[in-house]
């Protein structure tokens, strides 16, 4: 650890010109509302092209809500450098310009001057995102009109739906010069009740619980559903967290992000079920990982002690310090689905709608995704259901399956949990190429 910190310190001293690492980049703040400031970090593609704008712009959204794209998404999943500051050979900037956004406001390096300015609904998040993108295009006009794709993981996938609606609305009104061509929802929190109700069946089928454990999980999940149906949305969120607690107990602490991961059996008792669930989602780390886990500690250290001074982040901003509040302010919206928004996009736009899922994920499990997909009401619904599922071959390996009709497609990705781009880069290439023609 001491050697790693020494290396990090040396590298940070070489970033005095206002960037972190050797990759071409831009970053900045956009005031999306008075007192609400959002941070973005753009990495230009390293593809061998005459101009950066010969390749599309991809926005990456982390989950949570409260998970940092500039931190977790960048250094842990698909950015040019990993947590050891080693080059990542499957980074997305090899083919795309990638814009990491700390979203919703209050996440990562984004901040509000008063917590009352935090968002409470998905639509408020989307409206802030449109303002963020207006500011981004003002700072980087070269990207106006360039194909734009939004990729969101977990809660980021949920946010992407309303963002697409608001972005298309702004494009049609002529108030933003973007060219949104598609969104991708990766292991996304689209229909939370469906996801929660399928935890038990998946765990039973995988042999991770017995019948008694299955029934205990389902009883708790059905209570979350009941509360939701009665309009008790905050109580439903709390019951969802309690259901996670039942799952942990009955499985001896299964990893919600990959059911095959071997996990420690100890369960911290100093925090509530909701706090434990919140911390897992914000940090994109399995339940049971202590908060001083070396990987989490290194990311916090890097962002606050190396990245922050290198990029000239204001002294008063502490990376991640408002993330818990971001999650808490969304409690009333957390369990609400966004399937109506997906139907609106399918019925009224030509935007490509991609759903991809790592088959080893539990929290946003594949069975729960299929339930809401099969209920979608759009002209191509029956044709999609009747379409043949095709295999995904990459380098002579079966990486998963896909099914598509019109502008909707579903990708099942093998040997991958919650963070598909990190767990199975080869499988990820399939849905990247399908949407963008690159990858």
């Amino acid at each position: 650890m001491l050697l790693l910190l020494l290396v990090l310190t040396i590298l940070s001293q070489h970033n005095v010109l206002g960037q972190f690492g050797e990759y071409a980049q831009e970053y900045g703040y956009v005031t999306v509302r008075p007192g609400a400031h959002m941070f973005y970090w753009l990495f230009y593609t390293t593809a061998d092209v005459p101009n950066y704008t010969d390749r599309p712009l991809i926005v990456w959204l982390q989950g949570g809500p409260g998970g940092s794209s500039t931190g977790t998404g960048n250094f842990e999943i698909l950015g040019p450098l990993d947590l050891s500051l080693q080059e990542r050979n499957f980074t997305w900037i090899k083919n795309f310009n990638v814009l990491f956004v700390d979203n919703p406001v209050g996440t990562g390096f984004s901040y509000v001057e008063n917590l009352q300015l935090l968002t409470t609904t998905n639509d408020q998040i989307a409206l802030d995102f449109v303002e963020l993108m207006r500011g981004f295009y003002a700072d980087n006009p070269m990207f106006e009109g360039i194909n734009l794709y939004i990729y969101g993981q977990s809660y980021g996938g949920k946010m992407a739906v309303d963002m697409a609606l608001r972005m298309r609305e702004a494009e049609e009104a002529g108030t933003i010069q973007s060219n949104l061509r598609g969104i991708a929802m990766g292991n996304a929190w689209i229909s939370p009740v469906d996801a929660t109700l399928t935890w038990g069946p998946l765990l039973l089928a995988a042999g991770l619980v017995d019948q008694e454990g299955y029934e205990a999980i389902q009883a708790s999940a059905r209570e979350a559903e009941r509360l939701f149906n009665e309009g008790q949305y905050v109580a439903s969120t709390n019951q969802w967290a309690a259901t996670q607690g039942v799952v942990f107990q009955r499985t001896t602490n299964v990893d919600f992000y990959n059911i095959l991961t071997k996990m420690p059996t100890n369960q911290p008792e100093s925090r509530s079920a909701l706090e434990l669930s919140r911390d897992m989602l914000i940090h994109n780390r399995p339940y049971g990982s202590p908060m001083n886990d070396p990987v989490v500690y290194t990311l916090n250290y890097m962002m606050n002690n190396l990245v922050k001074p290198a990029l000239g982040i204001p002294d008063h901003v502490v990376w991640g310090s408002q993330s818990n509040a971001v999650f808490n302010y969304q409690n009333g919206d957390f369990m609400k689905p966004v399937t109506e928004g997906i139907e609106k996009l399918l019925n009224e736009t030509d935007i490509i709608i991609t759903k991809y899922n790592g088959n080893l994920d539990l929290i946003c499990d594949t069975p729960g995704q299929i339930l809401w997909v099969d209920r979608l009401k759009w002209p191509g619904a029956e044709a999609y259901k009747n379409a043949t599922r095709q295999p995904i071959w990459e380098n002579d390996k079966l990486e998963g399956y896909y099914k598509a009709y019109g502008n909707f497609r579903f990708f099942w990705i093998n040997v991958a949990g919650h963070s598909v781009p990190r767990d199975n880069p080869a499988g990820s290439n399939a849905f990247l190429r399908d949407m963008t023609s690159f990858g």
Side-chain angles (χ1 to χ4, degrees):
M1 176 60 74
L2 289 177
L3 177 60
L4 174 61
L5 294 182
L6 176 61
V7 172
L8 294 177
T9 302
I10 292 173
L11 284 173
S12 71
Q13 293 170 352
H14 287 277
N15 292 328
V16 295
L17 296 179
Q19 71 172 44
F20 190 82
E22 301 301 319
Y23 294 90
Q25 60 197 260
E26 294 288 342
Y27 47 86
Y29 276 96
V30 175
T31 298
V32 295
R33 286 174 283 120
H37 312 280
M38 287 184 65
F39 181 73
Y40 69 84
W41 194 358
L42 169 72
F43 286 87
Y44 294 103
T45 184
T46 58
D48 185 14
V49 291
N51 299 294
Y52 294 127
T53 51
D54 291 336
R55 290 299 175 93
L57 175 66
I58 284 182
V59 173
W60 178 260
L61 304 172
Q62 203 57 39
S68 168
S69 297
T70 66
T72 302
N74 181 10
F75 291 104
E76 292 194 358
I77 299 178
L78 56 87
L81 299 175
D82 63 20
L83 281 169
S84 299
L85 294 183
Q86 300 298 308
E87 293 186 352
R88 178 177 280 114
N89 60 12
F90 58 85
T91 175
W92 285 15
I93 74 167
K94 285 188 174 183
N95 291 297
F96 309 99
N97 303 286
V98 181
L99 181 64
F100 295 99
V101 177
D102 277 343
N103 166 89
V105 66
T107 299
F109 283 134
S110 296
Y111 67 98
V112 292
E113 297 172 17
N114 185 314
L115 292 182
Q116 298 300 314
L117 295 171
L118 294 175
T119 58
T120 59
T121 70
N122 214 46
D123 188 52
Q124 290 174 1
I125 293 172
L127 290 169
D128 278 355
F129 178 79
V130 174
E131 290 302 317
L132 178 279
M133 292 305 296
R134 284 197 181 102
F136 170 79
Y137 285 119
D139 293 341
N140 303 274
M142 62 190 291
F143 284 105
E144 291 184 345
I146 300 302
N147 285 357
L148 171 68
Y149 302 93
I150 302 173
Y151 279 70
Q153 175 177 291
S154 195
Y155 211 86
K158 176 177 180 175
M159 294 187 288
V161 174
D162 282 298
M163 288 175 179
L165 290 169
R166 288 298 190 176
M167 286 291 289
R168 176 50 62 94
E169 179 183 86
E171 287 177 352
E172 292 177 343
T175 61
I176 193 168
Q177 304 305 311
S178 57
N179 185 26
L180 180 63
R181 301 307 309 141
I183 65 168
M185 303 164 287
N187 290 74
W189 198 236
I190 301 299
S191 183
V193 169
D194 283 326
T196 308
L197 287 172
T198 50
W199 291 347
L202 176 60
L203 292 168
L204 182 63
L208 296 178
V209 296
D210 57 15
Q211 185 66 27
E212 182 182 355
Y214 161 81
E215 291 175 358
I217 293 168
Q218 290 307 98
S220 184
R222 284 192 292 269
E223 177 63 9
E225 178 188 34
R226 182 190 69 80
L227 291 167
F228 178 83
N229 290 338
E230 292 182 355
Q232 300 186 54
Y233 300 124
V234 173
S236 181
T237 298
N238 292 332
Q239 184 61 33
W240 159 83
T243 304
Q244 282 200 332
V246 177
V247 170
F248 292 135
Q249 180 184 30
R250 294 292 180 164
T251 60
T252 319
N253 203 22
V254 70
D255 179 359
F256 257 86
Y257 287 167
N258 189 319
I259 61 173
L260 297 185
T261 301
K262 295 180 180 179
M263 293 291 293
T265 59
N266 60 300
Q267 299 186 25
E269 299 177 354
S270 60
R271 289 171 287 160
S272 69
L274 183 62
E275 289 172 329
L276 290 169
S277 298
R278 178 194 65 199
D279 292 342
M280 180 183 75
L281 291 174
I282 289 174
H283 294 289
N284 200 52
R285 302 287 295 164
Y287 172 92
S289 298
M291 293 311 292
N292 63 346
D293 178 278
V295 175
V296 175
Y297 169 79
T298 301
L299 181 61
N300 283 327
Y301 179 89
M302 183 185 301
M303 298 305 290
N304 281 312
N305 295 280
L306 302 180
V307 175
K308 177 179 173 176
L311 301 187
I313 304 298
D315 290 341
H316 66 85
V317 177
V318 177
W319 180 84
S321 63
Q322 295 181 342
S323 288
N324 287 352
V326 169
F327 185 97
N328 294 340
Y329 269 70
Q330 292 290 138
N331 275 356
D333 209 53
F334 185 81
M335 294 295 286
K336 294 179 181 179
V338 290
T339 47
E340 288 186 5
I342 295 174
E343 290 174 341
K344 187 175 179 67
L345 290 170
L346 288 171
N347 289 318
E348 300 178 13
T349 79
D350 60 353
I351 294 173
I352 298 172
I353 309 298
T354 294
K355 180 73 197 74
Y356 69 86
N357 236 67
N359 290 330
L360 299 177
D361 190 21
L362 177 60
I363 190 165
C364 297
D365 61 333
T366 301
Q369 308 291 328
I370 293 172
L371 288 177
W372 65 258
V373 167
D374 285 346
R375 291 197 304 266
L376 290 176
K377 295 179 175 62
W378 61 292
E382 285 303 312
Y384 169 78
K385 291 177 184 177
N386 295 328
T388 302
R389 197 171 77 144
Q390 303 288 342
I392 299 171
W393 293 99
E394 294 283 331
N395 300 319
D396 296 323
K397 292 183 179 180
L398 182 63
E399 301 292 0
Y401 302 87
Y402 73 95
K403 187 161 73 166
Y405 183 81
N407 55 331
F408 183 78
R409 53 266 287 119
F410 194 113
F411 287 79
W412 292 256
I413 305 298
N414 294 338
V415 198
H418 196 62
S419 297
V420 174
R422 177 186 62 200
D423 294 349
N424 190 337
S428 301
N429 289 336
F431 58 72
L432 285 167
R433 280 197 308 271
D434 174 80
M435 181 178 284
T436 72
S437 77
F438 299 102

